[in-house]
Every structure is written in C-alpha cells, then in structure tokens.
Amino acid sequence: EAKGVPTSLYYDLLKHLPPNKTDSDMAKERAVDIAHYLRKSDVSPFYQKIVMDSPKKGQISLTNFVRKISPLLIDKKGKFHTYTLPEQQSIIDNYFHALEHAFPKVFSEREAIFFKTLGFGAIINTLPTVFDLSLREYQGFRIEDAVKILKRVDFFDFSEWEKLGTGTAAELLAGEDFRRELLN
C-alpha cells in the first residue's frame, strides 16, 4: 500500500528528479538550496530554525519556507529571479537580520511571530515592498538599509496577528496590514 511522502522530502529530493522541470519546480529547488544554506549558517537568523519535519516552537518547516520563497524565484515572474543564488540568500538573510535589529524584542521571543507560519508568510509577503523601498532610497539592500525602512514602523504591534487565525487569507491580511504601515 502506498504511503504519502512528506512534502519536505519531495523538496529535498527535487534536484535528483529528471531534468525536464517546470519553472516552478526549479524555483522550489532554488528555495530548498537557500533554506539549506541559511539553516546551516551560524550567523544567519535562520540557523537551525528551518527543519525538514515537524517544526518545534521557534522553527519553520522546509515546506513552509519553500511555499513562501519559491514564488519570488520563478523565472521571468518572481521578484528575485534575476539575482544569483548568493544574492538571493543575502536578500532573505539581510531581511531577517533587519527584522532582528528593528524589532529586537519581538525577534528574541521564544516563539517569535517571524518564525510561525502566519508571521513568516506575512513578513515574506511584505519583503518585495521593503526591498523596493530600500533600492529606491538607498540604492541597495544592505541590512542597515532595510533596518532604516523597518524602523519607521517600530511601533507596529505584531501581537495583533495572533487574532487573525491561520491560513493564506490570514497571511495576506497580516502582510497587507504591515505593508500599508510601511507605505504610510
């Protein structure tokens, strides 16, 4: 009798599948590569926080990471498709370092919202806006540039996100709420 394969295992094995992959498959493969790099880098906010199986408090699953990051990497469509793998890794790493500096209290919580499914989804939904603002105002996306953008909303109450529930609709609502504050 067939048993289902965990999605994270599928993502991890994707690079070993036949070469006729869709753009979406290649973006997922790239997202897995980014996840592995970030979770193994002891200077990354993601160090040991991306897990293959069921995440514990303060961790996110590889499945969730890939679900949110891969659309940003799809060839000719994704926001970051023109960047190299090291540049893509830096964009995501810099963003989370900036969140750590701009919201240290929230980031240091044992169950930081940024590493929960809803919070991670919302924050990634907002990444393109922060990236664009940083490029426009500072001509780059260094940690300090992103921190300046995020510090504008250092009053933001992330605890309100807990009341939104779960699912994609809640992620979109939370992300749009944060994005709107950034643009105001």
Side-chain angles (χ1 to χ4, degrees):
E1 293 186 21
K3 285 184 105 179
V5 176
T7 306
S8 62
L9 178 59
Y10 163 74
Y11 288 149
D12 204 37
L13 296 174
L14 195 58
K15 65 180 135 226
H16 302 291
L17 294 177
N20 297 337
K21 297 176 191 157
T22 66
D23 289 343
S24 177
D25 287 340
M26 290 190 294
K28 288 174 185 171
E29 187 176 319
R30 176 62 68 98
V32 169
D33 291 341
I34 292 170
H36 284 316
Y37 171 80
L38 295 175
R39 76 184 183 93
K40 291 177 183 177
S41 172
D42 61 357
V43 294
S44 173
F46 288 99
Y47 180 64
Q48 297 183 337
K49 290 193 181 203
I50 303 171
V51 295
M52 300 295 288
D53 49 6
S54 300
K56 295 179 178 81
K57 294 179 189 306
Q59 297 177 324
I60 58 173
S61 69
L62 176 65
T63 302
N64 192 37
F65 186 91
V66 170
R67 176 182 71 89
K68 293 307 298 182
I69 298 299
S70 65
L72 299 170
L73 309 174
I74 294 175
D75 193 31
K76 297 180 186 78
K77 293 181 193 173
K79 177 74 177 170
F80 306 121
H81 81 275
T82 60
Y83 294 92
T84 66
L85 175 61
E87 290 169 333
Q88 292 166 343
Q89 291 166 340
S90 290
I91 290 167
I92 296 163
D93 201 41
N94 287 357
Y95 185 44
F96 275 77
H97 274 294
L99 288 164
E100 184 177 22
H101 291 296
F103 305 103
K105 186 173 182 260
V106 176
F107 203 91
S108 66
E109 292 173 359
R110 184 169 182 264
E111 296 180 43
I113 190 76
F114 305 128
F115 295 101
K116 291 182 175 182
T117 301
L118 171 72
F120 182 74
I123 281 300
I124 294 302
N125 289 347
T126 311
L127 171 55
T129 300
V130 175
F131 186 81
D132 288 345
L133 288 170
S134 183
L135 282 182
R136 187 176 70 218
E137 296 177 27
Y138 304 109
Q139 294 72 52
F141 195 69
R142 297 171 304 161
I143 295 169
E144 55 268 25
D145 300 333
V147 169
K148 290 176 195 170
I149 301 292
L150 294 169
K151 282 277 192 184
R152 297 174 188 169
V153 293
D154 61 359
F155 58 85
F156 192 83
D157 185 5
F158 293 100
S159 67
E160 290 295 313
W161 288 1
E162 300 287 349
K163 300 173 187 171
L164 297 176
T166 59
T168 304
E171 283 178 12
L172 291 170
L173 185 61
E176 183 56 27
D177 185 35
F178 190 56
R179 192 180 80 77
R180 216 175 8 259
E181 283 296 332
L182 282 166
L183 294 175
N184 287 337

